[in-house]
Amino acid sequence: MWMASGGVSVPSLWTEVNRCGQNGDFTRALKALTKILHENRDDVTALHCKIVCLVQNGSFKEALNVMNTHSKLLGSDVAFEKAYCEYRLNRVDSALKTIEAAPEQTDKLKELYGQVVRLKKIILFVPAHLLVDVAHLTKHTIYLGLPESTYELCYNAACTLIGQGQLTEALNKLRQAEELCRVSLADDSDVTEEDIESELAVIHSQMAYIMQLQGRTDDALQLYNQVIKLKPSDVGLLAVTANNIITINKDQNVFDSKKKVKLTNAEGVEYKLAKKQLQAIDFNKALLAMYTNQADQCRKLSSSLQSQNPGHPRPVLIQVAQLCREKQHSRAIELLQVEITNAAISALVTMYSHEEDIDSAIEIFKQAIEHYQSEQPGSAAHLALVREAANFKLKYGRKKEAISDLEQLWKQNTNDIHTLAQLISAYSLVDTDKAKSLSKHLPSADTMALNVDVDELENSHGANYVRKKAAKVTGENLPKEQIQGEIKKKKKKKRGKLPKNYDPTGTPDPERWMPMKERSYYRGKKKGKKKEQIGKGTQGAMAGASAELDASKTASSPPTSPRPGSASSSSTAAASNVVPPRQQKPAASGATRKKAPQKKKKGGKGGW
């Protein structure tokens, strides 16, 4: 039998995987699969099962890494799993390529293809941005002409009409979809009104979007808020609805906008929305920061947007608007001039980068830099272009070609340590001696320390989890008043709590720290006398108590049966006549005490 390294047979591990898969315990199944792959890392079946378990647990990135690592071994067997992971990670183009490259178009691949195309082409709920007050759906929509017998198909047809600009027809189609949805869900007795409203939330949000495009902002805002109050589980729907409310608020009601913007930061939003939707939401965040006078936050967000979307004019326009609010008009004009000049260059470089033609992109930078070198040498636009060229070359591993640009930047500002470090790193591949000579210009460790007092830093409030050192100043150098004040500030140590039966005069038990059963004087639990047994009967009735109160059972009359637990029972009756507690009959209840119990008949089987 084939044994695993842990002493467990591989067939038993496969049995565990099968059992966990049927029970839906994919985390435990992964542990068994890891042991199997430890014995045979090229087991295709185990790899495939591991990928499925990771997908079931929502670990799409990890599953994709496994598929990419063993791509030669797995081949096209995991085409669906790979495309699905790319789809869930919002990598729409990659998912389409994976599906189209599959050797066989299975039913599940076709269904997934429809979902990917729907996400790529029919961009639903594209959020508006604060610059133009409207959102734009893509014009490249797909309508298959299917019969609109369900509210889902009717809804998709409405989205197609929105993409074509037919807003009135789209709104009528959405109302038809709403009616179909209510009728289809009303037949199910388990569906409540809240469930129906939750299902209609996506349709109502799209209707509000159309109203917003038509200028009916009050009606749109009412529907948007209705969707927000339902708190749908779809974080993407919540994010887009909240963003569109922000576009209606503009620079008014900013406190409500600050509340709504939190909904756009929910976990998993990046996997639910398209890239254009996420981009528009980020633009609105920057504009909201500007309207709320958060200048630093606005600059930070707009700079991040500019780096993520090179060539896009909107981040620069936000920066210009922020500079104008700060009365820095000259800087705003300079920034606009640089942006207008670099717009064409950035567009060309972006185009060549998408085509993976890095040499042509570098040639564009070279021509632009030569132009500025002859026309405006040393200007802000010139240096900014050189910086972009250097960063572009370093990004694509062209360190040797970036040396001239970095040298030019460092000569303009020899105090720029970041540029100097990049230059040394680039020279280390070409000329190590040059790199060593340049490293001499780096600041020393003493200079970089910035004269920080380590003791003061550790004793500051910001130093957490650091043991404070004792003060180096002796008491002789301190004034007496200060010494007395410090003594008063010292807290007294609290005495530990003592047990209630503590005797200060006695000697404590040396074995008190040991468990009771391990102590030398422990003799086990004593079996004491059992408490008075309580027989069966009505609630609150006690055999002993009722017998004492019964007038028929006085001292003058002989007892018909002994009373358990009574001191006189042992002297008046024989031991053989004692009736066990469970065989005793219940005494009369308090409500019937006046009525004397009937005597037993001779020869009978007992009873009252």
Side-chain angles (χ1 to χ4, degrees):
M1 183 179 289
W2 186 13
M3 300 294 291
S5 58
V8 184
S9 63
V10 174
S12 62
L13 289 175
W14 277 115
T15 304
E16 176 74 5
V17 171
N18 184 36
R19 183 180 62 81
C20 293
Q22 292 177 353
N23 296 335
D25 191 354
F26 300 103
T27 303
R28 195 168 181 178
L30 278 172
K31 295 180 181 179
L33 288 167
T34 303
K35 295 179 182 178
I36 295 173
L37 289 171
H38 181 73
E39 298 298 323
N40 184 13
R41 58 182 301 178
D42 294 334
D43 191 333
V44 178
T45 306
L47 286 171
H48 201 164
C49 291
K50 182 178 181 179
I51 293 167
V52 173
C53 290
L54 290 171
V55 171
Q56 290 289 346
N57 284 343
S59 304
F60 304 112
K61 287 185 178 180
E62 190 175 350
L64 204 56
N65 290 335
V66 173
M67 286 182 275
N68 292 333
T69 304
H70 303 278
S71 57
K72 293 183 179 179
L73 189 64
L74 296 171
S76 60
D77 295 339
V78 292
F80 173 77
E81 288 81 1
K82 184 178 181 181
Y84 181 76
C85 290
E86 291 169 339
Y87 163 70
R88 291 300 301 268
L89 293 172
N90 211 13
R91 303 176 185 177
V92 182
D93 295 332
S94 300
L96 284 175
K97 290 180 181 178
T98 303
I99 295 173
E100 292 170 354
E104 182 182 358
Q105 295 296 320
T106 60
D107 292 338
K108 57 183 181 180
L109 273 176
K110 293 177 181 178
E111 184 178 356
L112 180 60
Y113 180 80
Q115 293 290 334
V116 176
V117 170
R118 179 175 180 267
L119 180 63
K120 181 177 177 63
K121 296 297 183 181
I122 308 179
I123 306 297
L124 308 182
F125 310 121
V126 175
H129 53 76
L130 295 173
L131 291 174
V132 297
D133 300 329
V134 292
H136 300 285
L137 283 167
T138 176
K139 302 300 180 183
H140 304 285
T141 55
I142 291 180
Y143 181 54
L144 301 177
L146 297 174
E148 299 164 7
S149 56
T150 63
Y151 68 92
E152 293 94 341
L153 292 174
C154 193
Y155 171 80
N156 284 345
C159 293
T160 303
L161 293 172
I162 294 175
Q164 296 172 353
Q166 303 178 31
L167 301 182
T168 304
E169 294 81 355
L171 188 59
N172 294 331
K173 191 68 68 175
L174 286 173
R175 287 170 178 158
Q176 182 182 348
E178 179 183 8
E179 184 64 25
L180 288 172
C181 181
R182 290 187 182 277
V183 171
S184 62
L185 295 179
D187 298 336
D188 193 345
S189 59
D190 296 333
V191 177
T192 62
E193 186 65 26
E194 292 181 357
D195 297 334
I196 296 176
E197 291 298 326
S198 179
E199 188 70 19
L200 289 172
V202 65
I203 299 177
H204 288 162
S205 185
Q206 195 73 317
M207 291 170 68
Y209 171 70
I210 296 176
M211 294 175 184
Q212 185 177 356
L213 293 181
Q214 293 176 337
R216 299 161 54 188
T217 55
D218 293 338
D219 297 336
L221 192 60
Q222 184 178 358
L223 266 181
Y224 281 142
N225 286 320
Q226 180 180 335
V227 173
I228 294 291
K229 289 180 181 178
L230 288 173
K231 297 180 180 180
S233 58
D234 189 348
V235 292
L237 174 61
L238 270 178
V240 172
T241 305
N243 179 79
N244 288 354
I245 291 176
I246 295 172
T247 63
I248 294 176
N249 291 338
K250 297 184 180 179
D251 57 346
Q252 305 294 324
N253 202 4
V254 292
F255 293 106
D256 178 65
S257 297
K258 290 181 72 174
K259 291 180 182 179
K260 295 298 188 293
V261 79
K262 294 179 182 178
L263 297 175
T264 64
N265 300 324
E267 184 180 358
V269 170
E270 64 274 14
Y271 303 133
K272 288 287 187 178
L273 302 182
K275 185 178 179 180
K276 289 183 179 180
Q277 294 173 309
L278 295 172
Q279 186 185 72
I281 290 175
D282 290 338
F283 286 147
N284 286 339
K285 289 179 182 178
L287 284 168
L288 183 60
M290 183 184 71
Y291 287 141
T292 53
N293 297 323
Q294 295 176 302
D296 294 336
Q297 181 72 3
C298 178
R299 278 190 287 268
K300 181 181 179 181
L301 291 173
S302 58
S303 299
S304 176
L305 286 169
Q306 189 174 11
S307 61
Q308 295 173 6
N309 307 279
H312 203 295
R314 204 161 294 151
V316 179
L317 293 175
I318 295 174
Q319 294 179 29
V320 170
Q322 180 61 43
L323 289 171
C324 291
R325 288 174 70 91
E326 297 173 1
K327 309 297 183 183
Q328 301 183 32
H329 302 290
S330 58
R331 287 187 58 189
I333 293 172
E334 182 181 356
L335 184 62
L336 277 175
Q337 290 176 345
V338 173
E339 177 59 26
I340 292 171
T341 307
N342 294 338
I345 300 172
S346 178
L348 289 171
V349 170
T350 303
M351 181 185 67
Y352 283 125
S353 300
H354 283 304
E355 294 179 357
E356 298 182 356
D357 190 355
I358 308 303
D359 294 329
S360 298
I362 293 175
E363 183 64 26
I364 294 294
F365 274 121
K366 181 181 178 181
Q367 295 176 5
I369 291 172
E370 289 177 352
H371 170 75
Y372 274 99
Q373 187 70 35
S374 60
E375 298 293 335
Q376 303 176 18
S379 63
H382 178 211
L383 296 177
L385 193 58
V386 174
R387 168 65 66 186
E388 289 296 327
N391 291 337
F392 181 83
K393 293 171 184 177
L394 292 173
K395 179 182 178 181
Y396 288 95
R398 306 291 184 91
K399 290 187 176 181
K400 296 180 181 179
E401 300 176 25
I403 288 176
S404 60
D405 298 329
L406 293 171
E407 280 185 339
Q408 186 176 354
L409 291 170
W410 186 60
K411 288 178 181 178
Q412 292 289 334
N413 184 11
T414 55
N415 295 325
D416 189 351
I417 302 174
H418 179 69
T419 302
L420 178 60
Q422 289 179 321
L423 185 59
I424 294 171
S425 177
Y427 262 122
S428 64
L429 301 176
V430 182
D431 190 349
T432 55
D433 295 333
K434 182 68 174 178
K436 290 180 181 179
S437 62
L438 285 173
S439 62
K440 297 178 182 178
H441 296 281
L442 289 172
S444 61
D446 297 334
T447 307
M448 295 295 291
L450 301 176
N451 298 324
V452 176
D453 188 348
V454 179
D455 295 330
E456 183 181 355
L457 182 62
E458 288 184 349
N459 292 326
S460 65
H461 295 289
N464 295 328
Y465 307 102
V466 177
R467 187 176 181 179
K468 294 184 177 181
K469 295 183 178 180
K472 295 183 179 180
V473 183
T474 59
E476 297 177 358
N477 298 330
L478 294 174
K480 294 182 179 180
E481 297 178 358
Q482 185 175 349
I483 295 174
Q484 293 176 357
E486 291 181 357
I487 293 173
K488 290 180 180 179
K489 289 180 182 178
K490 290 183 178 179
K491 295 182 179 179
K492 294 182 180 180
K493 293 184 178 179
K494 293 183 179 180
R495 297 180 62 184
K497 293 183 178 180
L498 299 174
K500 295 180 179 179
N501 58 350
Y502 173 69
D503 184 8
T505 60
T507 304
D509 184 6
E511 298 181 2
R512 62 187 181 278
W513 308 114
M514 300 171 60
M516 180 61 73
K517 292 183 179 180
E518 297 179 8
R519 299 181 188 180
S520 59
Y521 50 81
Y522 179 70
R523 294 293 181 269
K525 294 182 179 180
K526 295 182 180 180
K527 297 181 179 179
K529 295 181 178 180
K530 294 184 179 179
K531 295 182 179 180
E532 182 180 5
Q533 299 290 344
I534 301 177
K536 296 181 180 179
T538 57
Q539 185 175 0
M542 294 178 62
S546 61
E548 292 176 0
L549 297 175
D550 196 345
S552 64
K553 295 182 179 180
T554 58
S556 59
S557 60
T560 56
S561 62
R563 288 177 295 173
S566 174
S568 61
S569 62
S570 59
S571 60
T572 57
S576 60
N577 294 331
V578 176
V579 181
R582 291 188 180 274
Q583 297 181 11
Q584 296 178 12
K585 300 301 179 179
S589 61
T592 59
R593 284 175 184 170
K594 294 181 180 180
K595 186 176 180 180
Q598 296 179 1
K599 294 183 180 181
K600 295 182 180 179
K601 294 181 180 181
K602 293 182 180 181
K605 295 183 179 180
W608 296 96

